[in-house]
Amino acid sequence: MTRIRPVPSSDGVTLALIDFGGTGHPLLFCHPTGFHGMIWAPLAAHLADVAHGWALDFRGHGDSPPPASMDFGWQGMADDVLAVVDHIGVVDDGDDATDRIGAVGHSMGGTALLLAELRRPGTFSGLWLYEPIMIPRVEGMGPRSNPMAHAARRRRPHFPDRDAAYANFAAKPPLNGLDPAALRAYVDHGLRPGSGGRGGVELKCTPEVEARVFEGSVSHDAFDRLGDVQAPVTVAVGGDGGLPAQVGALVAEALPHGRLERYPELTHFGPLEDLPGIAAAIRRALW
């Protein structure tokens, strides 16, 4: 049975930590910007025979509130990862659970895992990351506009009901390629009753919060420090040719124990598109 545990993090945030259950060593799933931990439930089910699955709602996502300061720099996401890792180490069965914890991260979630490992080396026994976002610094290049933030602020936040939201997302890119079980989890757990007497349902991660998270992606210099990561890391990239795939390949090259996997048939949302295939890839990498 899935259980939700409250876990204190930094800046006044109490995280929602989801316990999927399962048999084996702990495996932490970290979601991308704008999503939430329950999107991993269908994938975690494919791994329940080898892993005790956990997932968090990052600050401002799902059932975790935004930080008091409304600062969404990604070091705060690393705070969230380390907070739940410490909690898992206390409650998971067996001794020295945190010495055996593996993790799966998608986009922002992958970056947060690398930031956490850089801050506390040896936290993870291994990482499987799909298109982590780490932009190399280019000398002489100043701040740039963030098209993802602009797009997020234009997102439709409100729907008549969950079925209408599901139909909307299933009809057009980028979410129309998701496995139906993953899309259903996104809709069922990513919306709440409409506020302000509007009725209907609205996104838990508001367009403004999502935009601020995208803007916070440049708040760290982790790419320059990837050579310090000693954990084995598999970096997977899709075949849509987008910037996240290009950056993912550079991340794998910069890691001392990095390995690149290519999935040409998948997009940036690959972990939610091919659940059996991604589960098999995680098994190969972490067990």
Side-chain angles (χ1 to χ4, degrees):
M1 176 184 293
T2 300
R3 294 178 292 175
I4 310 296
R5 300 172 181 265
V7 177
S9 186
S10 62
D11 205 354
V13 173
T14 297
L15 302 166
L17 175 62
I18 304 156
D19 181 352
F20 293 127
T23 302
H25 293 170
L27 181 64
L28 177 63
F29 294 90
C30 293
H31 66 77
T33 302
F35 285 74
H36 53 77
M38 282 299 296
I39 62 161
W40 296 110
L43 182 60
H46 285 271
L47 296 165
D49 61 321
V50 293
H52 182 163
W54 301 83
L56 73 154
D57 289 345
F58 281 105
R59 55 188 60 207
H61 295 74
D63 293 323
S64 296
S69 67
M70 291 300 287
D71 179 355
F72 284 97
W74 285 15
Q75 290 293 349
M77 308 304 176
D79 291 346
D80 295 347
V81 168
L82 292 173
V84 301
V85 163
D86 289 344
H87 184 84
I88 291 168
V90 171
V91 303
D92 201 272
D93 293 336
D95 296 330
D96 300 323
T98 54
D99 291 338
R100 298 177 286 109
I101 189 168
V104 172
H106 178 190
S107 195
M108 176 193 72
T111 305
L113 289 168
L114 286 170
L115 289 169
E117 180 66 19
L118 281 166
R119 190 184 303 173
R120 192 190 295 175
T123 294
F124 299 105
S125 60
L127 300 173
W128 190 92
L129 311 178
Y130 193 93
E131 298 193 358
I133 307 300
M134 286 198 164
I135 308 299
R137 291 185 177 185
V138 178
E139 188 174 351
M141 180 176 288
R144 296 175 293 173
S145 63
N146 191 316
M148 296 300 294
H150 295 319
R153 287 191 169 97
R154 296 194 301 267
R155 287 196 70 185
R156 177 181 175 183
H158 187 269
F159 301 89
D161 53 41
R162 285 181 172 80
D163 288 340
Y166 183 96
N168 174 78
F169 294 129
K172 58 187 178 182
L175 302 187
N176 61 330
L178 268 57
D179 181 283
L183 182 58
R184 191 78 251 178
Y186 171 70
V187 169
D188 286 350
H189 300 280
L191 297 164
R192 61 188 167 209
S195 59
R198 294 186 63 185
V201 293
E202 64 186 17
L203 294 170
K204 289 181 178 178
C205 181
T206 68
E208 179 60 25
V209 165
E210 185 176 2
R212 291 191 183 204
V213 174
F214 282 126
E215 290 167 345
S217 65
V218 297
S219 62
H220 62 83
D221 61 350
F223 187 90
D224 298 332
R225 298 186 290 127
L226 288 176
D228 296 334
V229 176
Q230 295 304 310
V233 182
T234 299
V235 180
V237 298
D240 60 12
L243 181 61
Q246 297 173 40
V247 173
L250 295 174
V251 170
E253 184 178 354
L255 289 162
H257 305 289
R259 184 168 63 90
L260 181 67
E261 292 182 348
R262 295 187 181 274
Y263 295 87
E265 73 283 7
L266 301 179
T267 75
H268 181 60
F269 295 95
L272 308 176
E273 294 172 343
D274 178 12
L275 302 183
I278 295 299
I282 293 169
R283 284 176 186 267
R284 291 192 300 269
L286 299 183
W287 283 275

